[in-house]
Amino acid sequence: MKVLITGISGFVGKELLKSILKSKKNFVYYLLIRKKYKYFENIKKNNIKFICRDLKKQDLKLPNILFDTVVHLAGTTLEKKKSIEYLVKNEIYTFN
């Protein structure tokens, strides 16, 4: 099974990653990250692949992989003011 996960660098994503690292399931996890993070540098498992892309960009161009499941955790959370702009950003990230 091929699983794409967005938002893996956030709080919930990191907790999910801890479970994935302990898991014995025969899945391949594709973790979508905005940029290279030191936090992920020591993860060396054959079933974990990193895809470096930014959900803000409309030309996301993911690899030509047919994912069985998508876990979408990405979103803007650190906005000082929960405005319409905040909602629109999260909608765009989901749409892309």
Side-chain angles (χ1 to χ4, degrees):
M1 179 175 267
K2 296 176 188 133
V3 181
L4 173 67
I5 304 174
T6 68
I8 201 72
S9 61
F11 176 77
V12 175
K14 285 178 183 170
E15 292 302 311
L16 177 60
L17 183 57
K18 288 176 189 175
S19 295
I20 289 169
L21 291 172
K22 294 176 190 172
S23 174
K24 303 284 187 218
K25 296 198 182 290
N26 193 22
F27 292 177
V28 178
Y29 298 96
Y30 294 85
L31 309 180
L32 188 69
I33 57 175
R34 250 188 330 258
K35 59 184 178 183
K36 305 252 184 217
Y37 292 94
K38 287 189 180 238
Y39 182 85
F40 301 120
E41 284 180 357
N42 294 325
I43 297 173
K44 308 280 190 232
K45 288 189 81 174
N46 291 337
N47 68 329
I48 295 181
K49 316 282 185 207
F50 291 96
I51 301 171
C52 198
R53 300 285 190 285
D54 192 339
L55 285 175
K56 291 182 215 171
K57 298 188 176 159
Q58 290 185 355
D59 61 339
L60 195 55
K61 294 185 183 170
L62 290 173
N64 193 16
I65 298 168
L66 183 60
F67 298 107
D68 299 297
T69 302
V70 175
V71 179
H72 179 50
L73 302 173
T76 302
T77 58
L78 299 177
E79 296 283 333
K80 289 182 180 178
K81 191 175 182 182
K82 303 286 191 234
S83 63
I84 198 75
E85 185 178 330
Y86 165 82
L87 296 172
V88 169
K89 281 182 188 176
N90 279 315
E91 182 180 3
I92 290 169
Y93 296 171
T94 302
F95 180 75
N96 288 342

